[in-house]
Each structure stands twice: as structure tokens, then as C-alpha cells.
Amino acid sequence: MTVQKKSAGVWQIAPPHPATPPRRRNAPRLPPDERRTQLLDAALRVVGRDGLAQLTMQSVAKEAGVAKPVLYALYPTAPELVAALLRREHARGMAQVLGAMPTDLRRADPDAEFIGAAMGFLEAVYADPMRWRLILVHADGAPSDYREVLTAARDQLLARCIELLAVGIRVRGGPEDADIELIGTAMLGFIEVLGRMVLSNRQQFPPERLRSTVRALLRTIPRASDSTAPVASEDSA
């Protein structure tokens, strides 16, 4: 409240100025790469909660705590946002798989390396179910070209598995005359099924519970009768 003298003997009492409403805080400015990470992390949380088909620009902006123009500045349309999310999660998933695979079986126990790689994959699925659901489970709302990316990446992964299997079978001493392509395809499909079991119920099918099943798969691939089969030399691999 203020009191002002207007003239001799005349005073005016003015009501207090209305409080200025607090200005809405904008999201802090971030470098573009950090902002993309923030937005894609928010999109992944939305997908994990609601499904890919229910992802909207509004839901992602709300989840990220930013105004929609901030989101539109980097991803002008929902399909572009979805494509960026799928590409990122697929690349990260493939890096996890390849990182768990052995690089050289010529001086190793192939069976132990296989178990280690399989368990590494299952533990990655267990740790990042939202990511792996986008890779291992058909995702409604995914663009058709993403399915082509998945197919191409799986073909490359299968080729790597067959390459390692050829060396591993030679090192472990059998089986002779093995159809390596058939065995590799079956083994990869088997491990993918176990991954989907983890996704279906992480409490019921934790990776450690599946370890014995992974070992059982190896028992279907016989070794040579001579358990002391020599290890392949570097020149022969």
C-alpha cells in the first residue's frame, strides 16, 4: 500500500501492486548431444511404460521435463524421434553382444567361452529389458526399415557365430563332418529364445537359472572320442 499527496490536504491511498507471477522456468540449456541423450532417454522410458505404439511427442516432452519446442527443435516429427531411439538402442545392444563374444578361440576352452558369451547376453537382457524388448520382440509401431536393420544385423551376428563355431569345433575336437551353418543357426536361435524368456518374466527366468540350460545345449554337440585332441595351431586356424 502506498500513500501519495495529491494537493494540499488531499492524500491518495493506492492499493498495493499485485504480485508479479513467477516466471516459468525453462529447461536449462544443454549442448545438442546432451539434449538428444536426455530426450531419447525419456522416450525409452515412455516406451517401456506405455509401448512404442503409444509414444507421442507430448508424452516424451513431459517425461523429459521440457517444452515441446525444445523437442521439436531436434526431432521435428514423431517418426524421426522413434527412428533415432531405435537406432541408438540397437547399436548399444549389438555392442553388448559383440563385447561378450570371444575374439580368439584357438587358445581357449570353446565350451567355456560359449557359456560365458551366452550368459553375458542374458545378463545384458536382464539389465536392460526396455532396450532388448525393442530388439528381440516384434515392436508395434516400429518402422519397416527398422526391421530391415534388425535382419541385417542378425545376419552379421550369425556369420560371426558360424566363424567362431568353425574354430571352436576344430579346437574341441568334434564333431567330425559337422554342419556348422546349421549348428550355428540353431544355437543362435536357442539363445534368443532364452533372452525372450528373460523378457517375459525377469523374476521367474533370471540368467543364473538358465545357465544349466545353456550347458545342456553343448551336450548335444559331441566331442571327439579322444579327449586329448590337440589344440589347433595359429597357422591352421
Side-chain angles (χ1 to χ4, degrees):
M1 178 183 298
T2 61
V3 180
Q4 297 177 339
K5 186 176 180 180
K6 302 299 290 182
S7 61
V10 179
W11 298 80
Q12 179 176 352
I13 301 176
H17 294 290
T20 303
R23 297 180 63 184
R24 179 181 176 183
R25 283 189 173 184
N26 294 324
R29 292 184 178 276
L30 294 176
D33 287 346
E34 291 185 28
R35 181 67 78 191
R36 288 188 184 93
T37 297
Q38 177 199 28
L39 296 175
L40 293 180
D41 287 348
L44 184 60
R45 292 193 296 271
V46 171
V47 170
R49 183 179 64 241
D50 303 329
L52 187 61
Q54 301 303 316
L55 183 145
T56 65
M57 302 295 274
Q58 181 175 355
S59 64
V60 172
K62 181 179 179 180
E63 181 70 26
V66 301
K68 284 195 288 185
V70 174
L71 175 60
Y72 283 116
L74 291 174
Y75 301 107
T77 65
E80 290 177 85
L81 174 62
V82 169
L85 174 65
L86 295 177
R87 284 196 302 269
R88 187 189 76 165
E89 295 308 308
H90 180 264
R92 290 181 174 181
M94 290 303 100
Q96 288 178 309
V97 171
L98 294 174
M101 296 178 72
T103 57
D104 189 349
L105 293 177
R106 293 173 294 183
R107 302 293 180 185
D109 179 350
D111 288 9
E113 293 289 344
F114 171 76
I115 292 173
M119 295 307 300
F121 164 70
L122 295 176
E123 287 161 5
V125 174
Y126 184 87
D128 295 294
M130 290 186 290
R131 170 180 301 157
W132 283 99
R133 192 165 283 111
L134 294 174
I135 298 173
L136 289 176
V137 180
H138 173 70
D140 293 331
S144 59
D145 59 350
Y146 177 63
R147 299 187 184 94
E148 295 173 2
V149 168
L150 289 179
T151 300
R154 190 183 188 279
D155 289 345
Q156 293 175 357
L157 184 60
L158 177 59
R160 177 60 178 158
C161 289
I162 292 172
E163 178 185 346
L164 289 170
L165 185 62
V167 177
I169 285 180
R170 186 161 61 247
V171 169
R172 77 197 292 270
E176 297 181 359
D177 302 323
D179 188 330
I180 296 175
E181 182 179 3
L182 179 60
I183 294 173
T185 302
M187 292 177 74
L188 179 59
F190 180 82
I191 297 303
E192 288 174 331
V193 169
L194 295 185
R196 294 186 182 100
M197 289 174 64
V198 174
L199 288 176
S200 69
N201 193 321
R202 295 168 73 243
Q203 286 70 40
Q204 185 177 0
F205 300 113
E208 195 55 39
R209 181 183 178 187
L210 303 177
R211 185 183 293 272
S212 61
T213 305
V214 173
R215 288 199 187 100
L217 174 62
L218 291 175
R219 290 196 287 271
T220 67
I221 307 175
R223 291 176 180 264
S225 57
D226 182 5
S227 60
T228 61
V231 174
S233 67
E234 292 188 6
D235 294 336
S236 62

